[in-house]
Amino acid sequence: MPQWLCNQLIRAFRKKDRRQIKLLNECWFFYRNSPGESPDV
């Protein structure tokens, strides 16, 4: 998981911002499943 995404997820969990957590989660799955991308960066 990229560091910027990890940092944003931590921040969202601390604020209990469900909308942001859901958005970042969707971004992560899209990022992981996009063709040509390495799964662990």
Side-chain angles (χ1 to χ4, degrees):
M1 181 180 287
Q3 190 61 43
W4 62 268
L5 184 59
C6 196
N7 290 339
Q8 287 194 11
L9 270 170
I10 291 168
R11 196 175 307 132
F13 272 104
R14 284 184 182 154
K15 291 182 179 180
K16 296 181 174 61
D17 186 350
R18 288 182 174 214
R19 186 186 60 82
Q20 185 75 0
I21 293 167
K22 193 173 182 180
L23 177 72
L24 292 168
N25 192 38
E26 288 176 14
C27 287
W28 172 237
F29 281 108
F30 179 76
Y31 178 84
R32 271 186 66 200
N33 295 329
S34 58
E37 292 290 329
S38 59
D40 280 340
V41 175

